[in-house]
Amino acid sequence: MALRNGPDEFGLVTRVMHWVMAILILVMLALGLRISSMEPGLSNLWLYGLHKTLGLTLLALVVLRILWHLASRPPAPIGPPGRMRLFVKTWHWTLYGLMIAVPISGWAGSSASGIDTVFAETFVVPPLVQPSERAEFVWFILHEIFAKTLLGMVIVHILAALRREMGGDGTLTRMLRGRA
């Protein structure tokens, strides 16, 4: 079981990062949908703190994952040639872009609110923008748009992986076991 990616297989590091991030993203999207419908109060303030902590954790993980892909190139994709392969590659990079944009826009929105962004109830993270009601509104609208776009893309990503696996191409198997 190799840690690094090979020409035809995903290494353990890539697979662990993929599945940990997948689970955290699904948890974050569900938590975000829940807290967006709540009125902030003392009884639920911890959920906002948890959301911020997990969001900053995901931001760090996606940066690490991109750096890892530069150090240990993923194997070539199985399946579609030509334009479809370009589409899939663009889709994946758009997912990465959203995985960066969602937490940064949330962090900026929190900064604009004038309320500290605290990581793990311990560390105050520096603000990204100056407090401003207008900036808070804009950043949180962007955060919502990015998050809902990410949710839609994640659903399509899951369905496409299942469809391809049922078609027998081995892409999902490779992300689970390393090899198709």
Side-chain angles (χ1 to χ4, degrees):
M1 178 175 354
L3 292 178
R4 296 178 62 86
N5 297 322
D8 297 317
E9 66 183 344
F10 287 109
L12 183 63
V13 173
T14 296
R15 289 181 286 132
V16 168
M17 278 197 283
H18 176 272
W19 293 109
V20 167
M21 288 179 66
I23 291 166
L24 282 176
I25 287 169
L26 292 174
V27 167
M28 280 296 288
L29 289 168
L31 181 58
L33 288 171
R34 175 68 183 115
I35 65 174
S36 69
S37 66
M38 294 173 20
E39 195 64 37
L42 292 177
S43 63
N44 60 20
L45 201 55
W46 70 276
L47 289 172
Y48 291 88
L50 176 63
H51 187 73
K52 291 176 184 183
T53 296
L54 292 177
L56 290 169
T57 301
L58 275 165
L59 179 59
L61 285 172
V62 74
V63 169
L64 284 173
R65 188 166 172 189
I66 291 168
L67 292 173
W68 176 250
H69 280 324
L70 293 173
S72 180
R73 294 271 182 213
I78 299 172
R83 287 186 179 167
M84 189 58 161
R85 185 170 285 188
L86 177 61
F87 174 77
V88 170
K89 187 172 234 166
T90 302
W91 185 273
H92 279 97
W93 280 108
T94 303
L95 280 171
Y96 280 106
L98 286 168
M99 287 187 281
I100 292 170
V102 171
I104 286 180
S105 59
W107 182 3
S110 290
S111 298
S113 74
I115 299 171
D116 286 337
T117 300
V118 181
F119 180 80
E121 298 182 8
T122 307
F123 305 103
V124 176
V125 182
L128 289 182
V129 299
Q130 294 297 317
S132 155
E133 282 184 35
R134 180 161 169 69
E136 178 184 6
F137 175 78
V138 169
W139 282 111
F140 279 133
I141 289 293
L142 286 172
H143 184 65
E144 181 177 1
I145 290 168
F146 294 152
K148 287 182 177 176
T149 303
L150 179 61
L151 173 60
M153 289 186 73
V154 164
I155 290 168
V156 171
H157 181 75
I158 292 167
L159 293 173
L162 292 171
R163 180 178 179 268
R164 290 180 70 181
E165 188 64 25
M166 288 179 197
D169 87 347
T171 299
L172 182 58
T173 300
R174 190 163 72 160
M175 188 49 79
L176 288 166
R177 295 189 202 154
R179 294 178 179 260

